[in-house]
Amino acid sequence: MTDPQTDSVAPSAPDAPEYPSPSILDSRRLTGANLFDASPGAVLVIDPRAATPAHIAAWQAHVSELCDALAWSDVHTVIRLRDSSAQLFVRAPLDGLMTATSLNELAWCRAERVSDDAMLRALHQQWHQERTRLAPAAALVYEAHLRGLTACVDDESVTVGSGSGGESWPIDGAPDATAVDWSQRTNVPTVLVTGSNGKTTTTRLIASMFRASGHVAGWSCSDGVFVAGGEPPVQLEAGDYTGPAGARRVLRDTSVQAAVLETARGGLLRRGLALTRADVAVITNISDDHFGEYGVESLADLADAKAIVAHAVSASRGVLVLNADDVTLRTLPIDPAVAVVWFSTSAQPGSEADLRVTHGVSEHGLGARVRAGQLQLAQHGAWHSVGDVASFPLTAGGSALHNIANATAAALAALTAAVPRVAIESVLTTFGANDGDNAGRLMVRRVGGVTVLVDYAHNPAGMTALCATAASMPAARRLLLLGQAGNRDDEQLRALGAAAWHTTKFDRIIIKHLPHMLRGREAAAVPAQLREGLQAAGAPESIVSEASTEFDGVVQALLWAAPGDLLVLGVHVDRTRVLALLDALVEQGWTAGEPVLVGKPVDGDRGVLKAVQPAAGG
């Protein structure tokens, strides 16, 4: 049976197997709307070699029998078969999700004929204990649903309402629903942002637009959790908070008057949606990334995963904002009950993308497009310009096409969430002028006669966008610092390298090792695949070198540089230290060609710095 803290089987001995059958690869709860259903449940991941039609049919039959034995009436199963795994889902009550993981495992063991009566007795006992502990919390969530309130639950707390209108209780101390003052519970405007690229930038833009309209905004993103009104943001948490924990952290902060939640694929697939309702959900785009994880093996699979956010807007009669320029999103199957509006940055009049935008305006009065260099928003069916995209600092004079798309998506999402156009325009004309606006994304620094571009590009589409922007910037020579974590397959890693060279013919490429992001790979495996992708695309071997760490790669780039060069630095793990080094060089009056002081510039301790000399000949 499963352990409530880890979602995995609690072994009886150190060498005990994790699951009761060797063909079970994973077993986990889905606490919200998910890839399989709009309701919570449990998913069992099976070795595809064991998932024969006979075994799957037997599993379904045993699920039905076991649900009957527990008096669960709403039985629903979903089967997804992929090359990498078979995924078997069963819907379950919110106060029985741990029991559901055990039920799922037992049904599979019965299908394989490896179960015994003790497992069934343990299942009944687990259901009794879980229901006794969680029934009051589940009742609160149900009551919130009836009242149109959002709710979120984890192992520690249950929350109804959100932000300034929310209230939370310990999961084991939830009150009776009749004891809650429901008149004080409300929802704050909530926007979900997902997609393959541009999520963090779009999230930050929408949060800034809420702030410009007078709201105290809370947002979660790949940099952490933040809250701010007109004042500088306060960081509540640091790190990647694009999963359910980040969303709950924002929604449970009673100072928050508007919530913007970056919602990544991983959290959606591992746990489902963290909340039950949202006013707006945005899908920025879909591109190749993370294939092979959680049964995602194609663009269509990835789009289905991102589209889980549609359940939240469906529940609240909200709006789904989609990119009309993205072919995969144009073919995404969406429940007709969901209101969909579209944005486009490149659609020509009469094109399919333009027709999508026009249809959204006709149906819901809302849309966004770029025409003749102007970002235009439709509100109540009428079009209004909110500025020349080349004048937005975020777009680097109009050359950063991906940020034009991010700005367009954010503007439409904010407008849909009732942010006034004047606040949207105000943010677009200023956002990106300061480093703190969009840290780590398309940050341009001038250091010692060299232009340094710091960005987070992490997949082929993002790399193409970054390198295209770099190609449009004047430079004597161009260098790229390239790297990736180990949780991509070989094909995706090679494609990342190829995308860089196909877009821009760099004079030097440094492949960085990321020793703390190997994700189960050998230390040299990721650089080898990146190098292979570069070579296949035509990059000369003579211009490619390697660095032992990201920071070492940055130092190598600075030592190589001469005045007039452009350094494109893909920075994923050491941004604070890298930016501190660049600041220190400016402070020192450093000029390209001179030694670089390295050590611990982020700590401000110049006593430990050492000079690194440029190599002869650059």
Side-chain angles (χ1 to χ4, degrees), residues 87 102 107 117 164 231 380 457 512 587 592:
Q87 300 172 76
S102 299
D117 291 341
S164 58
E231 73 285 351
H380 306 303
K512 62 183 181 181
E587 180 184 332

Side-chain angles (χ1 to χ4, degrees), residues 2 12-13 64 67 88 149 156 167 176 245 247 258 260 263 272 276 295 365-366 428 433 524 532 575:
T2 47
S12 56
S64 182
C67 286
L88 312 179
L149 294 171
E156 287 76 41
E167 186 170 6
D176 186 272
V260 189
T263 307
T276 55
L366 294 162
L428 291 175
E532 186 174 322
R575 188 181 74 222

Side-chain angles (χ1 to χ4, degrees), residues 108 169 261 359 372 478 526 597:
W108 181 256
W169 300 269
L261 311 173
H359 180 73
R478 294 177 175 83
V526 171
L597 290 176

Side-chain angles (χ1 to χ4, degrees), residues 48-336:
R49 295 168 297 183
T52 66
H55 278 134
I56 290 175
W59 167 79
Q60 285 183 301
H62 290 304
V63 165
S64 182
E65 293 170 3
L66 293 171
C67 286
D68 286 345
L70 299 181
W72 289 2
S73 58
D74 190 17
V75 181
H76 177 66
T77 59
V78 178
I79 300 161
R80 293 181 84 244
L81 302 179
R82 296 293 185 269
D83 291 341
S84 58
S85 65
Q87 300 172 76
L88 312 179
F89 171 85
V90 57
R91 184 187 293 163
L94 190 60
D95 53 357
L97 294 180
M98 287 304 306
T99 303
T101 62
S102 299
L103 182 150
N104 221 354
E105 295 164 18
L106 177 54
W108 181 256
C109 289
R110 284 187 166 188
E112 290 190 316
R113 300 181 180 179
V114 294
S115 68
D116 56 36
D117 291 341
M119 294 176 69
L120 180 58
R121 289 194 297 271
L123 184 69
H124 278 279
Q125 182 181 12
Q126 183 178 16
W127 165 229
H128 172 74
Q129 293 173 344
E130 187 174 18
R131 178 176 49 181
T132 300
R133 187 171 69 91
L134 299 181
L140 284 179
V141 173
Y142 179 70
E143 187 67 24
H145 168 72
L146 294 180
R147 295 170 179 272
L149 294 171
T150 193
C152 56
V153 181
D154 60 12
D155 290 341
E156 287 76 41
S157 304
V158 56
T159 304
V160 296
S162 58
S164 58
E167 186 170 6
S168 301
W169 300 269
I171 194 71
D172 290 323
D176 186 272
T178 59
V180 176
D181 185 356
W182 292 100
S183 67
Q184 299 301 306
R185 306 283 67 79
T186 58
N187 298 329
V188 299
T190 301
V191 180
L192 305 179
V193 181
T194 192
S196 294
N197 291 292
K199 296 187 295 297
T200 298
T201 298
T202 302
T203 295
R204 290 167 169 167
L205 275 165
I206 298 170
S208 293
M209 292 167 182
F210 271 122
R211 292 169 63 195
S213 68
H215 289 80
V216 174
W219 65 100
S220 55
C221 64
S222 57
D223 264 2
V225 178
F226 302 82
V227 173
E231 73 285 351
V234 175
Q235 186 166 16
L236 304 180
E237 306 287 352
D240 187 346
Y241 275 83
T242 58
R248 291 190 293 262
R249 185 69 175 86
V250 172
L251 295 173
R252 288 172 174 163
D253 190 310
T254 55
S255 70
V256 168
Q257 299 170 339
V260 189
L261 311 173
E262 182 177 343
T263 307
R265 158 214 59 89
L268 289 170
L269 291 170
R270 281 192 300 271
R271 280 288 180 264
L273 271 174
L275 70 168
T276 55
R277 305 172 72 87
D279 301 284
V280 182
V282 186
I283 307 180
T284 58
N285 48 64
I286 303 294
S287 66
D288 296 4
D289 203 3
H290 294 290
F291 288 168
E293 295 183 332
Y294 301 105
V296 172
E297 297 179 355
S298 66
L299 284 176
D301 287 343
L302 190 57
D304 287 342
K306 304 290 187 182
I308 293 171
V309 296
H311 291 301
V313 294
S314 175
S316 61
R317 298 184 180 178
V319 178
L320 181 64
V321 175
L322 296 180
N323 184 350
D325 297 326
D326 191 296
V327 175
T328 303
L329 289 177
R330 292 205 301 261
T331 58
L332 182 68
I334 297 292
D335 185 337

Side-chain angles (χ1 to χ4, degrees), residues 37-61:
D37 195 46
S39 298
V43 62
L44 194 65
V45 183
I46 300 297
D47 186 323
R49 295 168 297 183
T52 66
H55 278 134
I56 290 175
W59 167 79
Q60 285 183 301

